[in-house]
Amino acid sequence: MKEQLMVFKKPSYPLNNSFLDYLERFDRISKVSVFYDDLLRFSGSINVYDKNDVDTLWIRVYYSEFERNEIDLNLKKIYSYLHSDGNLDIIKFLSVDAIDYCTFGNSKPFRVKVRNILNDNYTYFYVKKADASRVYGLELEHILSPDKIHFLVYKDTLIEEHIMGIPGDVFMEEHLVNRSETEKSQIAKEFVKFNERCMIRLLGDMRAYNYVIVPIHDFDQVVFRIRPIDFDQQCYEGNLKVYRPQFFKENYPMVKLVKEKLEYSSIEQYKNEERAALAKRLFSTETRIKKLLHIMGNDFIAPDENTEQLKLELYRLTHDINFNRAKSMGNVLSSAFDFITRNYKNTDFLR
């Protein structure tokens, strides 16, 4: 019988005072009072369909005129702080074209579409309940990935920028087959690196719809990068396989591509490259990452049995005694990062 990687729905964990102080120190606290619960007071809705008339499971919500005016104003202010310097002069050029509500998943987010009325350019951002796991994941993504990510927290509400790209499941179904052989090799390489990156930083549940593929045009070729878009499962599950995208059946086309396109030696090379890159980012952001890991180490973001299982599995993999000494998920992550920085020049570790 196939192993079921994730059995129970993850609970939401509150942000503690130390974490809120950290977020304020790094300008992550919203200056606009916006609450997730305010957006729940919609008076009507309709289903949202994609270009093929398939139900997206999002609904477009509507508010009474009085509430809509106040909500629109606050959402425009949020856009200003999220994407610029908070200059409210731009508000008169903004229009909140749509507010959509997602009826599935852990976070049940609102998706806000904001358009510049001068040129019709638009962008999205999301309003969610602030869960500590998700916010830790966002901050780690900002610090340790090549991509910066913008988000704001206001009490128990999280405002998160939209990450552009083609959803992994859509890419595999509609785009992968049309890629050239060279592009397929490059995508396979990127998946190996993505798989390694998720495992080292303990970002779980990277099923195909929880990451996007980003095509980038570079001279005479197109290269592809993979970015996570869901951070709910940062340092929560006890099963190490949950942190390795290769073990989710939804990612089988990518795993198959790696087997077809890459030799074992190339896979090891790309894994080593990713570990080295992560180690260098850890060194260059040492002060900030230490502050964050200290707070995580004293926070409760996973059941004790999950922590015990994960640290045992990591000890069996690495034989590093520091994992056995971990008392929390934050300690486990700190031990993983310490292991990487101590060994990043050794191409034989963490096979």
Side-chain angles (χ1 to χ4, degrees), residues 88-134:
L88 301 184
D89 290 342
I90 69 170
I91 285 179
K92 59 180 174 288
F93 304 119
L94 301 178
S95 169
V96 177
D97 278 9
I99 302 174
D100 299 332
Y101 178 55
C102 183
T103 55
F104 66 95
N106 271 344
S107 58
K108 293 187 176 178
F110 285 91
R111 180 178 62 197
V112 181
K113 180 181 179 181
V114 178
R115 178 173 56 90
N116 185 313
I117 61 176
L118 296 179
N119 52 34
D120 278 343
N121 286 330
Y122 62 87
T123 189
Y124 297 94
F125 64 86
Y126 299 86
V127 181
K128 307 177 180 180
K129 277 287 189 182
D131 166 49
S133 305
R134 187 179 306 118

Side-chain angles (χ1 to χ4, degrees), residues 314-315 317-324 335 338-339 342-343:
L314 283 167
Y315 172 71
L317 178 66
T318 65
H319 307 292
D320 188 334
I321 195 66
N322 286 331
F323 287 110
N324 275 346
S335 297
D338 182 62
F339 185 77
R342 281 189 285 110
N343 297 282

Side-chain angles (χ1 to χ4, degrees), residues 115-322:
R115 178 173 56 90
N116 185 313
I117 61 176
L118 296 179
N119 52 34
D120 278 343
N121 286 330
Y122 62 87
T123 189
Y124 297 94
F125 64 86
Y126 299 86
V127 181
K128 307 177 180 180
K129 277 287 189 182
D131 166 49
S133 305
R134 187 179 306 118
V135 180
Y136 281 127
L138 286 165
E139 183 66 5
L140 286 164
E141 177 72 7
H142 179 80
I143 297 172
L144 296 177
S145 84
D147 304 293
K148 300 307 175 188
I149 189 165
H150 302 294
F151 66 91
L152 295 168
V153 171
Y154 185 81
K155 297 186 179 178
D156 65 346
T157 297
L158 169 67
I159 300 100
E160 185 181 323
E161 77 169 344
H162 174 67
I163 298 174
M164 292 186 290
I166 305 168
D169 53 343
V170 175
F171 184 86
M172 283 184 265
E173 184 177 341
E174 299 180 6
H175 301 273
L176 185 56
V177 68
N178 297 320
R179 303 271 61 91
S180 69
E181 296 308 308
T182 300
E183 288 172 340
K184 287 179 180 178
S185 295
Q186 194 272 325
I187 293 166
K189 166 188 171 181
E190 190 62 27
F191 186 77
V192 168
K193 291 192 167 191
F194 177 67
N195 190 76
E196 193 73 5
R197 189 158 64 244
C198 291
M199 182 184 70
I200 294 170
R201 60 165 279 193
L202 300 183
L203 177 61
D205 192 20
M206 283 297 108
R207 285 174 279 188
Y209 45 79
N210 287 335
Y211 60 82
V212 293
I213 312 294
V214 184
I216 302 171
H217 291 264
D218 180 35
F219 293 106
D220 58 348
Q221 64 173 336
V222 179
V223 296
F224 298 85
R225 292 176 58 189
I226 304 177
R227 294 189 62 182
I229 59 172
D230 191 314
F231 302 90
D232 289 357
Q233 289 284 340
Q234 176 67 55
C235 295
Y236 176 74
E237 293 285 346
N239 187 345
L240 181 59
K241 288 183 178 179
V242 172
Y243 303 101
R244 306 179 77 175
Q246 70 187 77
F247 287 109
F248 288 101
K249 66 180 186 298
E250 294 87 349
N251 293 328
Y252 177 71
M254 288 293 196
V255 175
K256 183 170 179 284
L257 193 66
V258 171
K259 289 179 179 179
E260 291 173 351
K261 292 296 179 182
L262 301 180
E263 299 289 339
Y264 175 80
S265 58
S266 296
I267 293 173
E268 290 303 301
Q269 174 195 338
Y270 298 141
K271 287 163 66 175
N272 288 329
E273 287 178 6
E274 192 58 37
R275 298 168 199 158
L278 183 57
K280 290 172 184 176
R281 293 187 192 111
L282 286 166
F283 284 130
S284 65
T285 59
E286 185 175 11
T287 301
R288 184 166 179 173
I289 202 71
K290 277 186 175 180
K291 287 179 185 290
L292 184 64
L293 291 174
H294 177 74
I295 294 166
M296 287 185 74
N298 292 298
D299 203 351
F300 182 80
I301 53 175
D304 291 340
E305 56 268 27
N306 289 12
T307 301
E308 291 300 313
Q309 179 187 356
L310 183 59
K311 74 181 192 181
L312 179 60
E313 291 192 22
L314 283 167
Y315 172 71
R316 288 171 176 166
L317 178 66
T318 65
H319 307 292
D320 188 334
I321 195 66
N322 286 331

